[in-house]
Amino acid sequence: MGLRELFQNHLQTLQSETARTLAELNLDGLVLSAGIPGWYFEDDQNPPFRSNHHFRHWCPMEGSQHILLFIPGQKLQLRLYQPADFWHESKPFEPDFWGDSYSVQIVTDEEKLWANLADGKRVAYHGPETEKARKAGLEVEAEGLLSRLNWQRLVKSPYEIHCLVDATRKAAAGHKAAERSFRQGGSELDIHFAFMQAARSQEQDLPYENIIALNEKAAYLHYGAKRDEVHNGKVLLIDAGASTRGYGSDITRTYATEDAPEEFQALLTDMGTLQAGLVNAITPNMMMGDLHVFAHQRIAELLIRHKIILDCDVAKAIDLGFTMAFFPHGLGHMLGLLVHDVAGKQLDRAGAASAPDPRFPKLRTTRPLQPGTVVTVEPGVYFIKMLLEPIRQGPNCRNLNWALIDRLMPCGGIRIEDNIHVHEQGVRNLTREHLP
Ligand code: GLY
Ligand code: MN
Ligand code: MN
């Protein structure tokens, strides 16, 4: 199926689901706006602009201030903001695969963008320009609307999967170039540039800031620096994605050279097997929390087998909080238009939330992995001083192998992350189709 047809089907489903939402809430229509760029404090420069993700769900047009109006039974209206401006170029509207799905109006005057949207009807608004929307007579924060818009984002349409596959393809090219740069002794900045060039991306295109950590810096989960003075790393942890039409991939790989301690190389190999085992363990509709618990069990086994945890069985290693110290984040999250996508805790369209898992109250995703969702699977093992030191000072100190931990500390840690499309029959690993 071509992109045009995929998009038309996507939009068709979106319109019928939204018509149902509006009928449930006794509303006549919905307005979504792309949003407006912000400013740095006391500066005439803008931070990179990212459009309203709900707008992107409907329309891949880049740029700011566009407005979309949906009234069930009428052709979708798109007001494209293209001010007369010789300082900046507005991306011209070229009827692409998506353009004929809308009645498009080019608007050069900001006032006119917001004119005649409500027209005496109950039209809801969701987006960042709430003041303008109120002035335009739109209903802002209509009760029950956001949970339904988020609910519609959970199951990805074939069009959305197509976008995620392309975002994966781009990021995979970046990851391969990054690994080459690492093995040639590149700095974090070299590796970053190698990724960006091969992924054909600018910073503002990325779904999230690249995490490119050599050696001990891999222990910072969201490490952001790009050091240029450190070369010839023994370990690289790279967590980097790319975007296509607003959909982002989220991929992590960890590499070690032969100069890394043998124990670390062995741990890395086994983490690869462990991560693949977790992906294979997914069954449609299983609870993400259960997969997270399974990950802790597998990580406990791994740490015991590698003699990092001593004189302990799996249950005790978890109960004493050892696996939490080595693996302190969630196993994964919903992925789509946001890297940590919406509705990870939502159980129905009205917004009922799943109860937090008392074992792991901070998990981002606590819902069933229902067919059609896309989720990351990203187990890790890290050597984080801040989390390990209290154990070293505490009563269970002798259950950890400190000589080995101190040898592995300069390696930082390991994370391996793939993006998984859950469907009725099982799972599709989108990442492994492009990156081993
Ligand atoms: N890259 C952020 C994450 O993996 O959640
Ligand atoms: Mn992730
Ligand atoms: Mn990631």
Side-chain angles (χ1 to χ4, degrees):
M1 206 185 285
L3 200 49
R4 179 183 300 270
E5 212 179 337
L6 286 170
F7 184 72
Q8 282 173 350
N9 292 346
H10 167 76
L11 215 47
Q12 200 57 50
T13 308
L14 205 45
Q15 288 179 91
S16 46
E17 286 182 2
T18 308
R20 178 181 166 199
T21 288
L22 295 176
E24 280 172 347
L25 303 178
N26 204 17
L27 291 162
D28 300 312
L30 173 67
V31 166
L32 299 168
S33 72
I36 189 161
W39 301 97
Y40 288 116
F41 181 59
E42 292 180 355
D43 198 334
D44 63 359
Q45 302 296 306
N46 309 113
F49 173 72
R50 191 174 288 199
S51 61
N52 171 6
H53 49 114
H54 292 285
F55 178 89
R56 294 205 300 271
H57 198 204
W58 291 72
C59 177
M61 184 70 194
E62 291 166 28
S64 59
Q65 296 194 245
H66 313 311
I67 288 186
L68 188 150
L69 171 64
F70 170 59
I71 307 271
Q74 295 181 13
K75 186 152 186 178
L76 270 170
Q77 283 185 48
L78 184 61
R79 297 182 183 179
L80 286 184
Y81 184 52
Q82 303 212 319
D85 185 354
F86 59 84
W87 290 90
H88 309 98
E89 187 198 20
S90 302
K91 197 169 159 99
F93 171 62
E94 287 153 355
D96 199 349
F97 68 92
W98 58 271
D100 51 11
S101 300
Y102 299 89
S103 158
V104 177
Q105 193 189 345
I106 308 285
V107 181
T108 53
D109 175 351
E110 210 176 327
E111 293 286 302
K112 292 199 179 125
L113 272 176
W114 292 88
N116 308 321
L117 286 167
D119 264 345
K121 295 194 276 297
R122 285 195 67 197
V123 177
Y125 169 79
H126 190 70
E129 294 161 280
T130 49
E131 275 318 301
K132 288 182 201 166
R134 277 199 187 92
K135 275 196 201 138
L138 302 173
E139 290 202 22
V140 176
E141 287 160 20
E143 201 175 330
L145 178 65
L146 181 56
S147 68
R148 286 166 173 82
L149 294 181
N150 287 343
W151 186 251
Q152 294 172 189
R153 296 264 296 274
L154 260 176
V155 169
K156 269 56 182 182
S157 67
Y159 163 75
E160 294 180 289
I161 297 298
H162 191 277
C163 295
L164 283 167
V165 166
D166 194 62
T168 303
R169 179 191 59 74
K170 280 189 203 167
H175 273 269
K176 287 173 192 167
E179 184 189 359
R180 276 195 297 279
S181 172
F182 164 64
R183 298 215 184 267
Q184 287 163 7
S187 67
E188 290 168 356
L189 194 61
D190 290 326
I191 297 167
H192 171 67
F193 288 147
F195 178 92
M196 299 301 281
Q197 183 166 22
R200 312 307 301 159
S201 299
Q202 301 185 68
E203 307 274 345
Q204 63 264 33
D205 304 328
L206 299 179
Y208 57 94
E209 187 186 350
N210 284 349
I211 298 166
I212 296 181
L214 288 176
N215 304 337
E216 77 285 358
K217 301 295 184 187
Y220 292 98
L221 303 180
H222 283 174
Y223 173 73
K226 311 278 183 296
R227 292 176 299 169
D228 200 19
E229 67 281 8
V230 180
H231 294 260
N232 298 308
K234 294 177 184 172
V235 175
L236 168 66
L237 186 155
I238 170 167
D239 183 344
S243 289
T244 293
R245 293 180 283 275
Y247 291 82
S249 51
D250 179 11
I251 302 172
T252 309
R253 290 291 179 267
T254 307
Y255 306 106
T257 68
E258 288 179 354
D259 295 333
E262 267 176 29
E263 295 100 327
F264 186 83
Q265 295 180 50
L267 196 64
L268 179 57
T269 304
D270 282 0
M271 272 299 283
T273 310
L274 184 153
Q275 193 265 359
L278 293 174
V279 172
N280 287 333
I282 296 176
T283 52
N285 292 311
M286 82 183 287
M287 294 298 287
M288 186 65 181
D290 291 339
L291 192 65
H292 182 78
V293 170
F294 184 50
H296 271 266
Q297 291 165 346
R298 297 302 321 278
I299 286 171
E301 280 166 23
L302 177 91
L303 295 172
I304 292 167
R305 197 165 64 246
H306 284 261
K307 301 189 167 43
I308 293 171
I309 296 179
L310 306 172
D311 303 325
C312 224
D313 62 16
V314 166
K316 190 171 161 200
I318 295 173
D319 284 351
L320 291 177
F322 292 161
T323 53
M324 273 294 266
F326 287 101
F327 172 45
H329 59 74
L331 180 65
H333 50 84
M334 298 286 128
L335 185 70
L337 286 162
L338 298 180
V339 62
H340 300 142
D341 209 14
V342 295
K345 297 178 178 169
Q346 200 171 323
L347 291 179
D348 65 21
R349 45 193 290 114
S354 47
D357 189 320
R359 298 164 296 184
F360 301 102
K362 290 199 177 145
L363 290 186
R364 278 197 178 94
T365 313
T366 49
R367 67 176 327 285
L369 294 175
Q370 90 194 52
T373 54
V374 175
V375 69
T376 67
V377 174
E378 48 181 306
V381 162
Y382 311 88
F383 301 94
I384 303 173
K385 225 182 182 138
M386 180 184 141
L387 300 181
L388 292 174
E389 215 45 40
I391 302 176
R392 201 196 294 247
Q393 306 304 332
N396 304 309
C397 160
R398 272 177 307 177
N399 288 111
L400 294 191
N401 180 346
W402 295 104
L404 181 51
I405 289 170
D406 287 340
R407 209 156 48 245
L408 297 178
M409 204 66 99
C411 299
I414 299 168
R415 178 163 68 254
I416 301 171
E417 175 175 28
D418 287 342
N419 306 156
I420 308 299
H421 181 208
V422 183
H423 52 80
E424 298 284 355
Q425 285 77 38
V427 297
R428 174 181 175 197
N429 189 330
L430 301 175
T431 312
R432 296 284 163 169
E433 292 175 6
H434 294 272
L435 188 67

